[in-house]
Amino acid sequence: MSGTLFDKLWDSHCIETDGDGASLLYVDRVVMHERTGAVALDSLARRRRSVRRPEHAFCVADHVVDTLPGRSDDTRVPGGRDFIVALRQGAASFGLRMFDVDDEDQGICHLVSAEQGIALPGLSLVCPDSHTCTLGALGTLAFGIGTSELEHALATSTLRAIKPATLRVSISGQLLGHATAKDLALTLISTHGVGGAGGAAVEFQGAGIDAMTLEQRMTLCNMAAEFGAATAVIAPDEVVFRQAALAPLAPKDAPIAGWRALRSDASARFDHDIAIDSAQVVPQVTWGTSPEQCGGLGDPIPSPKDAAARQALDYMGLEPGLPLASKPIDAAFIGSCTNARISDIRAAARVLKGHRVAAGVTAICVPGSKRVKRQAEAEGLDQVFKAAGFEWREPGCSMCFFAGGETFGAGKRVVTSTNRNFESRQGPGVRSHLTSPAVVAASAIHGRIALPDTA
């Protein structure tokens, strides 16, 4: 019987399915960060339970760490240091590998998982973070879970879950001009809504995917969380095999022959289908407080169709009919698990080279991992950012979200390469416009939302 890639990944990890339709899945890898990992490990210790496969469980300090140069355990998040110290102690107690603040391979958990070979084609992985679906770009069955599920996965190497429906997103064409994978994701979400996936497992496929780099695919899978997907997957190919096989934690004899079988059969049936032509995608920027409230940079702000849109425009301080490019900005942020990889930093650096950030604009770049930071510095990209007036930071989630620590200030308008633009997502009263790293860089130079060509 033919099947989808998701069917094959699910079936290969399904231990048993009970009468109510819930399945018990085997979990190959468990990744946790300091905000929830410390809690789960402490609970295990109090219950006198062990971690079933400690060699397959990993801890990462990323969510509340300070990103300022010369950082230590101190953090601007109230109580943040306690989370970091507790995770460190839990990792040591259970014998788990921890990518700590001073570790040369520290970074945002999803980037670290890909870089280190924790996530590999065909494996299952869970992490208490909604953007764990990023790793589906490797052909990994990856789920975001809650803290109690994390504790269960650590103790048993299993996860109880109900199999979701499947949704195929067929992408034709190739991205043109300044359009990026971020713009493709925002176009998909603005067209079909933040609930467009309906809780399904999304598979991205087609010629448009084949033309993408692994990093572009990771951005697309990352934003599946904003599309309402249970998870997202892409069939791994030679682009993935080359990078995955060289990862430090990948097996010495990578099973590439087996990895090649990880794809949907030609006759596989999906529950739902969506098609999109990436050649028609243009640079996007959000105007509201949801990723679906979005449009092309040259488009006018639409008239509100409902109370939610009216509330969003009021919060954002925008008027319908005006182009977004007319709005001055206060800050520019490049970072997050969505767009802080080396290709993102290169794209922004190309725009910034020879320019300066506009007066009055706070500009910050936070590389996604120490590996990305080292590579960027080896290429001299950090000097491009610094010369332009950007702060060059240490890796972490930083101001992707506000946890009581660093923020831009109430009422400040920010162009950001992150994934969510909810009210106060980047701090109380902050107005966040999601877009690509290149547009963030161009906007920082121009002092208003702008395409790279206009900077």
Side-chain angles (χ1 to χ4, degrees), residues 302-328:
S303 297
K305 296 181 179 179
D306 52 37
R310 285 192 293 273
Q311 180 178 333
L313 287 175
D314 182 61
Y315 177 85
M316 295 296 291
L318 298 174
E319 294 293 334
L322 298 175
L324 273 169
S326 68
K327 296 301 295 184

Side-chain angles (χ1 to χ4, degrees), residues 208-395:
I209 293 295
D210 297 339
M212 286 185 180
T213 66
L214 174 56
E215 296 196 343
Q216 290 174 315
R217 298 174 193 181
M218 290 177 73
T219 294
L220 196 58
C221 285
N222 176 278
M223 294 291 288
E226 279 62 59
F227 188 43
T231 190
V233 292
I234 294 174
D237 58 12
E238 298 301 323
V239 171
V240 176
F241 303 153
R242 285 193 298 271
Q243 297 188 47
L246 295 174
L249 299 179
K252 292 183 179 179
D253 298 316
I256 294 178
W259 289 352
R260 289 198 173 99
L262 295 172
R263 57 185 55 254
S264 292
D265 298 320
S267 57
R269 298 183 63 181
F270 291 80
D271 296 302
H272 308 283
D273 272 283
I274 289 174
I276 186 169
D277 182 0
S278 56
Q280 301 301 312
V281 172
V282 299
Q284 300 285 302
V285 64
T286 56
W287 51 263
T289 55
S290 165
E292 73 180 21
Q293 293 171 333
C294 183
L297 264 72
D299 297 341
I301 299 167
S303 297
K305 296 181 179 179
D306 52 37
R310 285 192 293 273
Q311 180 178 333
L313 287 175
D314 182 61
Y315 177 85
M316 295 296 291
L318 298 174
E319 294 293 334
L322 298 175
L324 273 169
S326 68
K327 296 301 295 184
I329 64 167
D330 300 294
F333 180 77
I334 294 174
S336 85
C337 59
T338 310
N339 282 127
R341 290 175 281 275
I342 188 63
S343 57
D344 301 310
I345 291 174
R346 286 171 180 157
R350 285 193 293 270
V351 176
L352 292 173
K353 192 169 185 178
H355 296 280
R356 286 283 302 175
V357 170
V361 173
T362 299
I364 299 170
C365 179
V366 181
S369 71
K370 291 278 188 72
R371 176 179 286 195
V372 169
K373 185 172 183 284
R374 284 196 301 273
Q375 187 170 354
E377 290 173 351
E379 296 176 16
L381 303 182
D382 61 318
Q383 298 303 315
V384 174
F385 276 86
K386 292 175 183 178
F390 264 77
E391 293 182 38
W392 182 253
R393 297 281 194 99
E394 295 291 337

Side-chain angles (χ1 to χ4, degrees), residues 54 74 109 117 131 229 235 239 326 328 404 417 445 450 455:
D74 292 330
C109 54
H131 292 99
V239 171
S326 68
S417 72
I445 294 166

Side-chain angles (χ1 to χ4, degrees), residues 55-134:
E55 71 275 21
H56 291 162
F58 302 87
C59 302
V60 184
D62 65 350
H63 269 59
V64 299
V65 299
D66 182 14
T67 61
L68 293 172
R71 70 182 178 190
S72 63
D73 284 350
D74 292 330
T75 169
R76 297 186 179 190
V77 175
R81 185 178 186 277
D82 294 338
F83 283 106
I84 297 170
V85 171
L87 182 65
R88 183 180 299 142
Q89 292 172 343
S93 176
F94 286 100
L96 312 183
R97 170 74 162 92
M98 179 165 175
F99 297 90
D100 210 336
V101 174
D102 59 352
D103 193 289
E104 64 177 9
D105 290 317
Q106 179 266 344
I108 300 173
C109 54
H110 314 308
L111 275 72
V112 170
S113 295
E115 292 171 348
Q116 297 298 312
I118 297 169
L120 291 170
L123 295 185
S124 61
L125 181 150
V126 296
C127 175
D129 188 284
S130 59
H131 292 99
T132 304
C133 51
T134 304

